[in-house]
Structure formats: structure tokens, C-alpha cells
């Protein structure tokens, strides 16, 4: 450490040691403490802002769920009233609906028109599966899992258990949901509400019968011959079961999509709908509403 001498009037020498260095150390300490306090303050501000943003997202999500629930209620009302125009539209395609100034997408799927993975005819399941899953190796993989459930006598609760985790959020999962079910309890399906893929992959079905069913589906002819056609392909063509999968979807401005989905059954004696179960989906990708 450097030092220097000076003399007072008495002639004695005094030493002043490290005055400048001590002042520099104090300044450095002050700057360090100030930096730490600033960093803590900045961190607290960032955390507070993050909490506020999370709270805002949660409030929006809660509001969206309430709107989506209103959409489900509207679907149920439309299905209970045979004269409701929205019900007629929903039976054809997904339909936009405005509620509280917000546009929702309402959808109805007829579970009776799908092939049941638990109770469905084995040959029918395999035929439709290979039509839906274009990749032959992947179709074999999915069918192997399905057959393992059958061999063990274990019920398939959700369709996505047949897929690898990385495939459960891909388009394949949605494709399987459109053509298969796990809750109808039928060996076959209702040909009037089934998809073209399901109907056209009934093992051994004749082209003439397909054309006749298509005429019935389009309303060009009556359904008087339908029972006879069903008998020819029993148990693959089954009677109608009033089960519906209904969905209400809302896309928020922050790219958040909330979907409330329910399985509903119709009591034909009273005309009322009953919700069997419901679940929510929250996604980041927006849903495109038809123009």
C-alpha cells in the first residue's frame, strides 16, 4: 500500500496511508449495493407484471368458459326443439353463433354414426381404421394396440390411448375422433348420420345399396327401404342411438382457444337432452370460423 510523509511545525513526520484507495473502495461498495437493489427492483417489477398478465389470461379464460357453456346450452335447446333453425343447421355443419357480442363456433357430432372401438364389429373397425390412417405401418401399430385391449377384455376409455403421446395432439387424433367412438355400445353404426368414410368401408356393401342410402341421406328419397338394407348387413348397420357429442368453441384475441365439449343423450319419449359428461380444452392455436 502506498504512503507519503509530511512534516508538521514540530518537525515530526506523520504518515497518511491509502486515503484515495479507501475513498474508491467506499464508492465501489455503494455502486455494488445500488446495482443489487436496482436488480431486485427490476426483478420484482417483472414478476409483478408476469402475475398481472397471468391473472388477465385467467380472467379471460374463465370468461371464455362461461361463454362456451352458454354455447352448449344453446345447442341443447336447439336439439330439443325440432323446429329450431339452428338445430337444422347444426345437423349439417358447424355453425357460428353470436352471444354477448362474441362469436362462438357450435358443433354437433352424431356418435351413432361412428364405429365403437369397444363393442364394434372387428372387421368393420379394421376396415375403417385403414381408411382413416393412410400410413400402413402406423395403421398396423394402432390396430395392434386396439387388438391388445380386446385380448385383455379391457375397455378403451378414450381414443387417444391408441396413439403415441406425440401423436395425440396431431391431426390424426382429430381424424380418429371423427370416425370412431368408445361409448355408443353398438356393434355397427347408423348409416344415415355416418361419415362417407365409415359408410363406404363397410365390408362387402354393394354399390347399389350405397347409392340408395345416399339418396336417403340427402332427402331425395324416403327411408322406407332402410330396414331391409340394414338387415342385409346386420350387425354392421345398426339402429339409431340418440347420442351426440356437442362442442362450443371461442377464440380469444390473445390466441387462446377455449372449447367446452359434452356427450349428450336424447330421450325420445320426452324430447329432452341429458348431459352425460363434459370437459374443457384450452389451446394456444386459434380456430378459424367459417365465413
Amino acid at each position: 500500500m502506498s504512503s507519503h510523509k509530511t512534516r508538521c511545525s514540530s518537525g515530526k513526520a506523520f504518515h497518511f496511508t491509502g486515503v484515495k484507495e479507501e475513498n474508491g473502495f467506499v464508492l465501489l461498495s455503494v455502486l455494488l449495493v445500488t446495482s443489487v437493489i436496482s436488480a431486485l427492483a427490476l426483478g420484482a417489477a417483472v414478476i409483478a407484471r408476469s402475475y398481472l398478465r397471468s391473472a388477465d389470461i385467467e380472467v379471460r379464460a374463465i370468461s371464455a368458459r362461461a361463454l362456451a357453456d352458454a354455447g352448449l346450452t344453446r345447442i341443447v335447446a336447439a336439439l330439443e326443439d325440432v323446429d329450431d333453425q339452428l338445430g337444422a343447421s347444426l345437423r349439417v355443419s358447424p355453425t357460428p353463433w353470436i352471444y354477448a357480442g362474441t362469436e362462438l363456433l357450435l358443433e354437433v357430432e352424431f356418435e351413432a354414426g361412428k364405429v365403437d372401438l369397444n363393442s364394434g364389429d372387428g372387421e368393420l373397425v379394421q376396415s375403417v381404421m385403414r381408411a382413416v390412417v393412410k400410413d400402413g405401418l402406423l395403421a398396423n401399430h394402432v390396430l395392434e394396440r386396439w387388438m391388445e385391449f380386446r385380448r385383455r377384455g379391457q375397455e378403451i376409455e378414450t381414443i387417444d390411448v391408441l396413439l403415441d403421446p406425440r401423436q395425440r395432439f396431431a391431426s390424426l387424433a382429430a381424424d380418429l375422433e371423427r370416425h370412431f367412438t368408445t361409448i355408443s355400445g353398438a356393434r355397427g353404426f347408423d348409416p344415415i348420420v355416418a361419415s362417407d368414410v365409415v359408410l363406404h368401408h363397410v365390408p362387402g356393401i354393394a354399390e347399389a345399396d350405397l347409392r340408395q342410402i345416399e339418396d336417403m341421406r340427402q332427402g331425395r328419397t324416403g327411408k322406407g327401404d332402410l330396414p331391409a338394407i340394414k338387415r342385409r348387413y346386420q350387425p354392421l348397420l345398426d339402429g339409431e342411438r340418440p347420442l351426440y357429442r356437442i362442442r362450443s368453441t371461442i377464440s380469444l384475441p390473445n390466441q387462446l382457444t377455449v372449447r367446452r365439449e359434452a356427450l349428450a343423450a336424447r330421450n325420445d319419449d320426452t324430447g329432452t337432452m341429458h348431459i352425460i359428461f363434459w370437459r374443457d380444452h384450452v389451446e394456444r392455436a386459434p380456430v378459424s370460423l367459417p365465413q
Side-chain angles (χ1 to χ4, degrees), residues 20-236:
K20 293 182 179 180
E21 284 78 359
E22 290 179 2
N23 289 338
F25 178 76
V26 171
L27 179 60
L28 181 60
S29 299
V30 171
L31 289 174
L32 180 60
V33 171
T34 302
S35 299
V36 171
I37 293 175
S38 298
L40 291 174
L42 179 61
V46 170
I47 292 173
R49 184 176 181 181
S50 176
Y51 282 151
L52 287 174
R53 184 178 300 171
S54 298
D56 180 64
I57 292 174
E58 186 62 26
V59 168
R60 288 173 179 266
I62 292 173
S63 175
R65 290 189 183 100
L67 289 170
D69 191 65
L72 284 192
T73 302
R74 182 66 183 92
I75 293 173
V76 168
L79 294 177
E80 288 181 339
D81 185 356
V82 294
D83 296 322
D84 193 310
Q85 293 185 351
L86 178 62
S89 176
L90 286 169
R91 287 177 170 85
V92 177
S93 63
T95 304
W97 179 61
I98 305 295
Y99 179 74
T102 304
E103 188 172 46
L104 296 90
L105 183 65
L106 308 184
E107 301 175 78
V108 171
E109 290 184 1
F110 298 89
E111 293 296 293
K114 301 178 182 181
V115 180
D116 196 305
L117 291 170
N118 290 311
S119 59
D121 178 83
E123 190 177 359
L124 176 63
V125 170
Q126 294 183 61
S127 177
V128 175
M129 185 66 73
R130 294 192 183 280
V132 174
V133 185
K134 305 299 183 183
D135 186 312
L137 292 176
L138 181 55
N140 289 340
H141 178 67
V142 174
L143 285 171
E144 284 173 6
R145 288 192 174 184
W146 166 74
M147 286 187 284
E148 182 61 26
F149 275 92
R150 288 249 168 146
R151 281 193 294 268
R152 290 183 297 186
Q154 185 176 351
E155 183 175 346
I156 299 173
E157 294 185 359
T158 59
I159 295 172
D160 60 10
V161 299
L162 301 179
L163 302 175
D164 293 332
R166 58 186 174 82
Q167 298 166 334
R168 294 175 185 176
F169 301 97
S171 59
L172 176 59
D175 290 340
L176 293 179
E177 286 274 0
R178 279 193 290 270
H179 305 295
F180 292 96
T181 183
T182 59
I183 47 82
S184 75
R187 289 200 64 191
F189 62 91
D190 180 2
I192 298 300
V193 297
S195 68
D196 289 340
V197 171
V198 171
L199 182 60
H200 285 256
H201 286 85
V202 172
I205 193 166
E207 286 294 331
D209 289 330
L210 284 175
R211 288 194 297 269
Q212 195 168 0
I213 292 173
E214 186 59 30
D215 287 340
M216 296 177 192
R217 284 151 58 107
Q218 298 298 325
R220 292 190 289 263
T221 62
K223 299 178 182 177
D225 293 331
L226 185 59
I229 295 175
K230 286 184 175 182
R231 283 194 296 271
R232 283 199 287 274
Y233 299 99
Q234 282 290 347
L236 304 183

